[in-house]
Amino acid sequence: MNDLVFFTNPQSRGRIAHWMLEETGVPYETVWLDFGSTMKSSDYLRVNPMGKVPALKHGDVSVTEAGAICAYLADRFPEKHLIPPPGHPSRAAYFRWLFFAAGPLELAVTAKALGWQVPEGKSSFVGFGSYSATMDALETALMPGPYICGEQFTAADVYVGSQLGWGMMFGTIEKRALFEAYVGRLYARPAAVQANRINEDYLKSLKP
């Protein structure tokens, strides 16, 4: 099971998984899909019935959702050291913040972007509680640094860092100094630079 096929679009969460693929250094094939056309084709719907990107095929295995792809690649290629080893204390932080970013963080940011208001006294009904509580929790987690799990860069940084980077770019996450410093370190990594270049080059190739 050595063949990795990556389905994505440069204007999507696919950039998160693309960065993760570059971090692994494992060869992969990229299939670029368009919204509303190839992304909804019968062939692709067999890979992801949601008709969304990103998706990854690894032999006979299909993985969707950017966070799941990051976690899968880290687990599948442990020699790349993108997940703390079993039994290490930082492994708990790895799972904690990976799922935090996929759950409370994404929902808090989405709620803010769409103007959703949690009714007074109903914060316990939603996983993120409140936007401010979510941001404060994440800032507290990043204080020890330099990464979300401490000294080791992991797949959780790819996912958390991407969420923060995109949120600050589009104004759905406030620009706290700690967030900006963290994202700056991550985006300077060669794999992040390379993944961004690949996506930008593809976008340029579409222009007449």
Side-chain angles (χ1 to χ4, degrees), residues 26-202:
V26 177
Y28 61 93
E29 174 190 352
T30 302
V31 178
W32 301 100
L33 299 177
D34 297 321
F35 294 103
S37 58
T38 51
M39 213 176 286
K40 304 299 182 182
S41 69
S42 58
D43 285 346
Y44 183 63
L45 290 175
R46 283 192 286 272
V47 177
N48 184 1
M50 291 284 286
K52 297 169 70 70
V53 291
L56 183 73
K57 277 189 67 67
H58 191 193
D60 295 329
V61 172
S62 294
V63 188
T64 65
E65 313 311 317
I69 292 171
C70 290
Y72 173 80
L73 289 170
D75 183 69
R76 185 63 181 77
F77 302 103
E79 71 278 7
K80 305 300 180 179
H81 305 294
L82 294 166
I83 180 173
H88 195 281
S90 62
R91 195 172 174 96
Y94 169 84
F95 286 114
R96 177 185 182 183
W97 298 110
L98 187 63
F99 280 88
F100 181 88
L105 178 59
E106 176 149 346
L107 185 54
V109 170
T110 300
K112 180 179 180 181
L114 297 178
W116 297 345
Q117 295 295 324
V118 178
E120 187 73 25
K122 299 293 184 180
S123 62
S124 61
F125 281 68
V126 292
F128 66 94
S130 69
Y131 174 85
S132 60
T134 302
M135 296 302 125
D136 290 346
L138 188 55
E139 184 173 40
T140 299
L142 290 171
M143 282 179 182
Y147 302 114
I148 196 71
C149 294
E151 293 298 322
Q152 182 184 358
F153 173 85
T154 69
D157 291 296
V158 173
Y159 194 64
V160 173
S162 294
Q163 295 272 35
L164 282 176
W166 281 91
M168 289 190 292
M169 180 187 301
F170 291 108
T172 53
I173 291 179
E174 58 201 51
K175 291 183 177 180
R176 300 187 182 187
L178 191 63
F179 292 168
E180 291 183 300
Y182 172 66
V183 171
R185 286 195 297 277
L186 299 185
Y187 280 10
R189 291 179 64 84
V193 173
Q194 173 69 355
N196 186 60
R197 183 192 65 77
I198 292 171
N199 281 269
E200 291 302 316
D201 285 351
Y202 180 74

